[in-house]
Amino acid sequence: MAYDLQKLDAMMQAFIAEKKLPGVSVAVRGPEGVIFEKGYGVANLEGRKVDEHTMYGIASMSKSMTTLACCILAAEGKLSFDDPVCKYFPNFRVPGNPQQDVTLRHLAMHTAGIPPMEPLEWSIALNTPGRDSDWVREMKNTAPNKMETIDQIIDYIATNPYKTLGQAGEIMSYSNEGYAILSYVVDIASGTTLEEFLMERVFKPIGMTRSILDLDASEATAMAGGNITSLFELGDDGELVCDDQWSILPPFRGCACVKSTAHDMARYYQCIANRGVIDGVQAIPAEAIEIFVGAGFPLQEKAFYCYGLNKRVKAGHVICEHSGGLHGVSSHGGLLLDENYGFAALCNQGSTDPEPLVWMMYNMIMGLPLEESHRWLFPTGEDFAEPEMLVGKYICYEGIPVTVDVFVKDGKAWARNDETEIELLWSGGTWFMTRRLDNGALGRMHFFIRDGKAWAVQVYSRVYQKLED
């Protein structure tokens, strides 16, 4: 098939320029091999150019690699996703739930009942040298310990007096702590480390020659041969600042610590899309891929979280994808299942969104207009009839607590966050598309109702619980 690569390139350049992103690398692969790969911008303040082989952090895109390792082990009979977590960690429990009720499947799907909590933020603040900010100082003041071991995380989950989100399997709320535990389950079930398992069973077989799981980027730096990016963030004055202080979060290694390239990540996703085959070789067992993203998960327009990848249907194509974000890292990648296409966009600035760049590549392959949105939630054009059900203050304790106030104005539900009003646009059921009045940014909320009142709201992938009236 002929693709308009010049148009794709021009649109990407325009997007990157509009967002003022320092450095971005993108790649798309298909049955014919590389379709498009390119680096835009710079890797550091000295102006060194990025390319498709520049190494970046990929942050939470690492999660699917941890669960892929679990799937390979499950295919080999070395673990089961139905195993209770306490089989591997006898002290593990989610308060209020039967201890043996919480399984590896619940951790992998973020449905263990664990609400958003602080350990990942504490781990970064107390284990990463050379950083100082109001946030770092607050984290250090509130942390019970350095959160540098998996036992400290398990102990915090088991003993901290928080409200759980219901019985295991009931509510999806994104949990880095669950994936930290899965990292160590791989260690136990495989008889080696997750780092070694990924290198020998995933990276090398797929041909990911510049990909590694390491905590401080020291091994990645050596592997990159100088072609590794620095880390950019917007300062308080709105100007870009740059450093090489990679986030170090020891027990969260399988959550966020892989370093890779756009070239390698497109190979990774292409291999999954092609049921484990890359360059004509069965690199990953097909049975493991079926466990990973197969028929056990529904096909629907709304994104459904499988094992480290969201799965959704767009224009007849099955897309599996994930994003990532850390200090100096923003990433997004995905695949077209059973169509042999893999996509990646990696950026060296934190708190930004390269997802639209991947949408452009999806659209080119799918024959859609490059600018077409891949949002899957749409307003109905009508008002929610009973907005009083939603009123209240909701809180998330992941790091410094964040609250969202929901109120009724002129008969409609609205929200307020950091003094900014947010319009709630009813999108069916108790789903709402959100629109910030200060900048027009779009988001989503999903309310959970009990006895005629909302008790929690899912903001993107985190569940905020309602404070007592």
Side-chain angles (χ1 to χ4, degrees):
M1 183 182 295
Y3 301 113
D4 191 343
L5 299 180
Q6 288 187 335
K7 183 176 181 181
L8 175 68
D9 183 31
M11 284 191 64
M12 287 188 165
Q13 290 190 55
F15 178 87
I16 291 165
E18 177 189 355
K19 301 297 183 180
K20 299 179 180 179
L21 304 179
V24 174
S25 296
V26 301
V28 54
R29 292 181 59 91
E32 62 272 60
V34 173
I35 296 172
F36 184 79
E37 290 185 332
K38 189 170 180 179
Y40 302 86
V42 298
N44 57 22
L45 290 176
E46 287 69 46
R48 176 166 51 84
K49 300 295 185 181
V50 299
D51 60 28
E52 67 273 21
H53 297 296
T54 299
M55 291 189 75
Y56 296 75
I58 68 168
S60 286
M61 285 167 69
S62 308
K63 287 184 170 66
S64 74
M65 297 171 181
T66 297
T67 41
L68 178 57
C70 291
C71 291
I72 294 171
L73 293 167
E76 295 174 350
K78 295 178 180 177
L79 64 73
S80 168
F81 279 95
D82 292 321
D83 287 342
V85 180
C86 61
K87 174 181 175 179
Y88 301 89
F89 295 98
N91 293 331
F92 174 86
R93 73 174 309 120
V94 177
N97 280 326
Q99 185 184 30
Q100 293 168 303
D101 194 39
V102 183
T103 67
L104 303 186
R105 186 184 319 279
H106 296 130
L107 297 185
M109 297 180 70
H110 302 293
T111 58
I114 303 171
M117 54 175 56
E118 309 92 336
L120 177 136
E121 308 284 331
W122 284 333
S123 189
I124 293 173
L126 277 82
N127 292 288
T128 304
R131 292 194 197 165
D132 184 47
S133 66
D134 290 342
W135 173 82
V136 169
R137 289 188 289 273
E138 178 66 17
M139 291 296 95
K140 289 181 176 180
N141 287 337
T142 58
N145 54 60
K146 292 182 69 174
M147 289 295 167
E148 59 187 338
T149 70
I150 194 62
D151 289 336
Q152 289 170 332
I153 293 174
I154 288 172
D155 179 68
Y156 187 79
I157 294 171
T159 62
N160 188 49
Y162 55 81
K163 291 183 180 178
T164 55
L165 299 178
Q167 187 173 357
E170 186 178 358
I171 300 289
M172 185 273 180
S173 185
Y174 198 87
S175 172
N176 285 296
E177 291 70 30
Y179 269 75
I181 296 167
L182 285 175
S183 304
Y184 290 84
V185 169
V186 174
D187 294 349
I188 296 167
S190 69
T192 184
T193 65
L194 174 63
E195 288 83 350
E196 292 170 345
F197 191 93
L198 289 179
M199 182 59 69
E200 297 302 321
R201 300 296 304 275
V202 177
F203 299 152
K204 286 183 178 178
I206 294 176
M208 300 169 69
T209 59
R210 290 194 175 191
S211 298
I212 193 166
L213 170 56
D214 73 338
L215 288 178
D216 61 1
S218 58
E219 293 178 85
T221 299
M223 178 181 284
N227 192 9
I228 189 168
T229 186
S230 294
L231 308 169
F232 291 82
E233 292 285 345
L234 282 178
D236 293 337
D237 58 0
E239 297 296 319
L240 277 178
V241 294
C242 179
D243 62 52
D244 294 295
Q245 297 164 358
W246 292 82
S247 297
I248 299 176
L249 48 166
F252 293 91
R253 48 208 256 274
C255 300
C257 295
V258 171
K259 284 75 178 176
S260 188
T261 68
H263 175 88
D264 276 12
M265 290 307 301
R267 287 186 68 88
Y268 172 74
Y269 289 119
Q270 183 188 22
C271 183
I272 298 167
N274 203 30
R275 298 286 173 166
V277 175
I278 187 82
D279 297 336
V281 176
Q282 189 78 50
I284 306 294
E287 182 182 353
I289 300 298
E290 175 60 23
I291 296 169
F292 191 33
V293 292
F297 304 107
L299 297 177
Q300 59 186 44
E301 193 170 340
K302 281 187 172 70
F304 184 89
Y305 201 94
C306 306
Y307 293 159
L309 290 171
N310 283 295
K311 185 177 182 180
R312 62 184 173 89
V313 176
K314 169 75 172 182
H317 301 265
V318 180
I319 296 171
C320 300
E321 60 192 346
H322 208 285
S323 295
L326 274 176
H327 174 79
V329 177
S330 297
S331 59
H332 192 83
L335 59 101
L336 301 184
L337 188 60
D338 295 324
E339 297 185 60
N340 202 2
Y341 291 97
F343 311 80
L346 308 179
C347 178
N348 56 9
Q349 179 181 328
S351 302
T352 188
D353 184 9
E355 190 173 9
L357 295 170
V358 178
W359 291 355
M360 294 175 198
M361 293 187 284
Y362 288 160
N363 290 337
M364 181 182 72
I365 298 300
M366 295 162 62
L368 300 173
L370 295 186
E371 65 275 10
E372 180 160 330
S373 171
H374 277 244
R375 298 189 184 279
W376 44 262
L377 192 67
F378 305 98
T380 64
E382 302 177 15
D383 292 336
F384 185 65
E386 300 174 272
E388 294 81 8
M389 282 189 176
L390 314 179
V391 170
K393 178 178 284 190
Y394 303 82
I395 192 164
C396 171
Y397 291 99
E398 189 172 18
I400 296 175
V402 176
T403 60
V404 172
D405 289 296
V406 177
F407 58 96
V408 176
K409 182 174 72 172
D410 299 328
K412 294 179 58 176
W414 289 73
R416 184 181 293 110
N417 182 4
D418 297 329
E419 306 304 319
T420 298
E421 288 197 353
I422 302 169
E423 187 177 10
L424 302 188
L425 306 171
W426 183 49
S427 303
T430 54
W431 288 86
F432 293 80
M433 179 175 277
T434 64
R435 182 165 56 207
R436 290 177 63 96
L437 295 191
D438 59 344
N439 60 16
L442 299 176
R444 61 180 179 270
M445 292 183 178
H446 181 205
F447 289 87
F448 299 100
I449 309 295
R450 183 184 296 147
D451 298 327
K453 292 185 178 180
W455 65 272
V457 59
Q458 187 182 56
V459 182
Y460 287 101
S461 59
R462 269 72 168 178
V463 171
Y464 291 40
Q465 296 186 70
K466 189 176 181 181
L467 293 169
E468 298 296 333
D469 293 331

